[in-house]
Amino acid sequence: MQKTRSGLDHLLLQQNKFQHYRIALVTNNWAYTLDNEQGRTALIKKGLPICKLFSPEHGLMALGEDGTLQNNHIDNLTKLPVISLYGNKFMLSAEELDDIDLVLFDIPDIGCRFYTYLWTMTYVMEACALHNKPLVILDRPNPIGGNMKKAEGPLLDESNCASFLGRWSIPVRHCCTFGELANYFSATRKMDIDLKVIQLFDWSRHQPVFNNVNIFKPTSPAISTIETAICYPGTGLLEGINVNEGRGSKNPFTIFGAPWINNYLLHENLDKLKLPGVQFSEIEYSPSGSMYAGESCFGLSLAVIDEDEFLPVHTGLSIIHQLLVTFPENCNKRLYKTAANPSGEKHLDKLTGIENSFSKLKEGVVISTKPGNEWFNKIDPYLLYH
């Protein structure tokens, strides 16, 4: 089987055509080459004159805690200045771009709308368009798959729910690469931008998700396995209510719990739904951090038993609805404070993309997770891979 080569790998195989450019690189520590070399050092060895680095949420080392402000610093590996795009601003300034000729973007992602690396890319795009700087996206695979039939909504309500967890209207599980989304946003947002996508090779958007284990890299402290990544578009929604979503344990986003949950009853109620591709088990654990740190939490673990059938967003919304109707006196909204949302308010709305989603789920309003032809017809002209 051919090994997937990222846009970074492809660039490194080409003749150095950027050697006369002053380059800024937007990246983090998990942007590796196929040979497991740090991307930024491989590019410098190639002779690319990189003069500064920009980093997203979790920082250049990708070790910062969720939602925690990241500071500017000097990279120990390259001795280059690192400017945070998850500090007191999200967008590159005119001054920061003034002494560079080209921006390279290379950050692995997990294919979920509320994972913020995507929106860092959009701010970089806007800054490059505004200040007339070419932008080159080094494309990487979507580790949770590119099969458009598996895309799951709901589509984001931009008027009421736009935030750094989702700026523009795409599904929660979008099934695209960053290169594809960059082309889509450039066209549909009518950006006047000099944009180039260096494509990845030997990746099929229809290959099974668990076949991606060899190309998956941990993207942040809580997303360390492919199993976590595939669950995250659903169980990540639990950040919007007062349960522990597995943070502070060895299994974030594949377990959840709270001191007030009767996990036997919840298990029984969820089993009645016959959710496809997933199996639940009762657990008890005590998270070392995050919500209910040091307390005994009773909950469930998720095991994806059929990735082809599994619907993570539908599963996550179903879990929240069952928690709301089974424990109506205990299950409440959660203030989830981050650098992007200091008040922590309306966090569930920002995650789902649906206004008043807590009330709607509690009342049993069906939130459709099928973007269907609406999304496919919009994105289809910008898809790069088959």
Side-chain angles (χ1 to χ4, degrees), residues 256-258 261 263-264 266 281-285 297-301:
F256 66 92
I261 290 176
N263 52 0
Y264 296 100
L266 181 63
S281 302
E282 297 101 4
I283 57 164
E284 179 183 351
Y285 67 102
C297 289
F298 306 92
L300 300 175
S301 66

Side-chain angles (χ1 to χ4, degrees), residues 131-149:
H131 302 296
N132 299 309
K133 302 294 181 180
L135 173 63
V136 178
I137 305 290
L138 303 181
D139 213 6
R140 289 183 176 271
N142 183 328
I144 64 170
N147 186 343
M148 281 294 149
K149 292 181 180 179

Side-chain angles (χ1 to χ4, degrees), residues 290-311:
S290 192
M291 194 165 212
Y292 304 123
E295 298 184 53
S296 291
C297 289
F298 306 92
L300 300 175
S301 66
L302 290 76
V304 178
I305 57 174
D306 189 337
E307 173 270 319
D308 194 50
E309 295 293 324
F310 181 52
L311 301 172

